Amino acid sequence: MTGHVDRVALRVADLERTTAFYEDVIGLETLERDADRAVLGVDAPLLVLLAAPDRPPREPAETGLFHTAFRVPSRTALGDALARIEDGWRLDGASDHHVSEALYLRDPEDNGVEVYHDRPRPDWPVADDGTVEMDTLPLALDSLRDAAVGSDRCPSGTDVGHVHLEVSSLSAARSFYVDRLGLGVRQSTPSALFLAFGAYHHHVGCNTWNGRSSPAEGRGLAWVELVADDPAAIRARFDAETVAERSDGIEVCDPDGLAIRVRGA
């Protein structure tokens, strides 16, 4: 099965400030806006911000988002993202994963954000069993700064490359995302899974690094939308009473209660 991540939705307390962050720091464009919602993207919607000022903050034990990862199409675009972050925000980390170069930060509501650029696929290290061999190494920021050209917006071709989740159980997550949604295991460690449609390094990451154990009830991740080439096959793997029909697909909940939307290409 082939597919990808399409959009991510976040519940936020301060819609104005959070929208400004994703515009000015990440470099997205606001495509739709009203009092309760902002839709941001490049070419097409990538991020939906939902005003939820009365919802409590996410508690330390709650599962949910580790980060939303925006993939830019060039190293130049990643250099420009670094410049925007260093000029107007705080960089939390920067890593060389062999398959990609990545920048890490947190938005005004403490939601994790990654901005990254993939290395050419033939350069990805692949194990004998076909899985990818990702690592976390220091990233050469001076070289990345030199690649910048000063753009204040993400270029055409930017998308949500993957979403990384904090889950309560890797075995339960694997059963849901692999056995039911049809993603394959691309890398597995005792505390993390990296899953993908096809041969990508990962569309969904799952980890238990912070020991979160309770369903998400506070602000933060509202839903993730996936696009798959055979949504009917996915629907058939779920009992009818666990599937919510939508005009363009279905919505199901993962083992931690996170809403996952699936639609056809």
Side-chain angles (χ1 to χ4, degrees):
M1 183 176 296
T2 61
H4 60 270
V5 182
D6 192 45
R7 297 180 297 165
V8 171
L10 304 176
R11 299 185 185 95
V12 301
D14 190 331
L15 184 61
E16 189 72 29
R17 185 181 183 215
T18 310
T19 300
F21 165 85
Y22 283 100
E23 287 181 332
D24 299 338
V25 179
I26 303 304
L28 304 181
E29 177 185 356
T30 296
L31 306 176
E32 301 177 31
R33 180 64 193 272
D34 59 31
D36 299 317
R37 187 181 76 142
V39 179
L40 299 99
V42 179
D43 303 324
L46 303 177
L47 178 69
V48 180
L49 300 177
L50 305 170
D54 297 329
R55 201 177 184 101
R58 180 184 176 193
E59 294 293 334
E62 290 181 13
T63 55
L65 185 69
F66 190 64
H67 60 239
T68 303
F70 298 97
R71 177 176 57 178
V72 294
S74 68
R75 198 165 193 268
T76 294
L78 189 62
D80 286 332
L82 175 61
R84 293 192 300 270
I85 295 166
E86 292 186 325
D87 181 59
W89 205 251
R90 302 172 300 277
L91 183 68
D92 291 342
S95 298
D96 179 342
H97 295 301
H98 293 318
V99 298
S100 63
E101 295 178 295
L103 306 173
Y104 297 96
L105 63 162
R106 305 194 75 79
D107 75 10
E109 309 240 341
D110 207 33
N111 297 297
V113 182
E114 176 182 344
V115 184
Y116 76 105
H117 166 57
D118 278 334
R119 287 201 166 97
R121 194 167 294 204
D123 295 343
W124 296 358
V126 178
D128 291 341
D129 63 0
T131 58
V132 290
E133 297 181 323
M134 293 180 282
D135 203 343
T136 300
L137 305 172
L139 182 61
L141 289 179
D142 285 343
S143 172
L144 191 58
R145 291 185 186 103
D146 291 341
V149 296
S151 175
D152 62 358
R153 285 286 179 263
C154 291
S156 178
T158 299
D159 60 8
V160 179
H162 65 269
V163 63
H164 195 147
L165 309 174
E166 294 187 288
V167 302
S168 60
S169 165
L170 288 184
S171 61
R174 181 172 182 145
S175 177
F176 176 84
Y177 288 99
V178 175
D179 299 339
R180 294 198 166 194
L181 291 186
L183 286 81
V185 177
R186 301 296 286 142
Q187 188 178 59
S188 176
T189 75
S191 56
L193 280 172
F194 298 92
L195 313 169
F197 293 113
Y200 193 56
H201 54 72
H202 68 297
H203 292 112
V204 177
C206 302
N207 77 67
T208 56
W209 296 329
N210 292 316
R212 296 181 184 263
S213 58
S214 60
E217 296 180 350
R219 294 189 295 267
L221 189 59
W223 46 262
V224 174
E225 183 175 76
L226 306 176
V227 170
D229 65 346
D230 193 356
I234 294 174
R235 179 189 281 106
R237 298 186 192 116
F238 289 88
D239 295 332
E241 60 270 19
T242 66
V243 175
E245 298 290 342
R246 296 177 47 80
S247 61
D248 58 352
I250 61 171
E251 181 174 297
V252 292
C253 287
D254 82 354
D256 293 304
L258 173 64
I260 302 294
R261 298 179 176 183
V262 182
R263 67 174 181 84

